[in-house]
Amino acid sequence: MRVVNFLLAVMFLLFAFLQVNDPDPLIWILIYGTMAVLAVMAIFEYHPKRFLIGLIILLAGYSAVYFRGVLEWLKQEDKSGLFDEVAKMEHWYIEEAREFLGLLICIVVVAFYYFRSRKGVKATA
């Protein structure tokens, strides 16, 4: 499990680094940086339950801001624009769908850590 947590930490650090050229880098570096710290904490089996619950609520609330973009992307015939570098400049919903997916990845990882904390792993209240 430590290897998975290490890989998640590296992945989220890379995600944070890639946000430097984003139009709103500060929030995304903070989000992905927090995720990297959580992954490092998980290496040492430290899972702050209340913080994890609060983070899930925060991330889910923030992802709601981008849900309209996901719905618009789902209406499109050509869904490949999500992975096209040029499309994000042409369509507002592409960037919103990408940001929603990034938040969804974070929510899944935080939920995973929360459920690990409930299975008897060293956890804090």
Side-chain angles (χ1 to χ4, degrees), residues 32-81:
Y32 291 135
T34 301
M35 295 302 299
V37 169
L38 282 177
V40 170
M41 289 169 40
I43 290 171
F44 299 101
E45 297 181 1
Y46 179 71
H47 304 280
K49 286 183 185 180
R50 289 182 185 160
F51 180 76
L52 295 174
I53 292 169
L55 190 58
I56 288 171
I57 293 168
L58 258 165
L59 293 171
Y62 190 47
S63 69
V65 171
Y66 299 111
F67 194 68
R68 193 180 102 207
V70 173
L71 293 177
E72 185 64 31
W73 173 69
L74 289 172
K75 291 178 187 175
Q76 305 305 311
E77 286 183 35
D78 181 18
K79 306 236 183 328
S80 66

Side-chain angles (χ1 to χ4, degrees), residues 2-120:
R2 288 182 184 205
V3 173
V4 172
N5 291 323
F6 176 77
L7 292 174
L8 284 171
V10 170
M11 179 186 79
F12 283 118
L13 281 176
L14 181 62
F15 284 3
F17 178 74
L18 293 174
Q19 298 306 312
V20 172
N21 293 329
D22 203 60
D24 50 355
L26 192 58
I27 186 73
W28 290 102
I29 291 172
L30 182 62
I31 289 170
Y32 291 135
T34 301
M35 295 302 299
V37 169
L38 282 177
V40 170
M41 289 169 40
I43 290 171
F44 299 101
E45 297 181 1
Y46 179 71
H47 304 280
K49 286 183 185 180
R50 289 182 185 160
F51 180 76
L52 295 174
I53 292 169
L55 190 58
I56 288 171
I57 293 168
L58 258 165
L59 293 171
Y62 190 47
S63 69
V65 171
Y66 299 111
F67 194 68
R68 193 180 102 207
V70 173
L71 293 177
E72 185 64 31
W73 173 69
L74 289 172
K75 291 178 187 175
Q76 305 305 311
E77 286 183 35
D78 181 18
K79 306 236 183 328
S80 66
L82 190 65
F83 308 104
D84 184 5
E85 195 59 32
V86 177
K88 75 177 183 180
M89 301 299 194
E90 296 174 4
H91 306 290
W92 60 271
Y93 58 86
I94 295 293
E95 184 66 16
E96 288 194 2
R98 288 177 179 172
E99 291 183 350
F100 179 86
L101 291 175
L103 289 167
L104 188 60
I105 291 168
C106 292
I107 291 168
V108 168
V109 171
V110 174
F112 171 74
Y113 287 145
Y114 176 74
F115 287 113
R116 290 266 310 153
S117 75
R118 296 186 68 204
K119 290 192 176 214

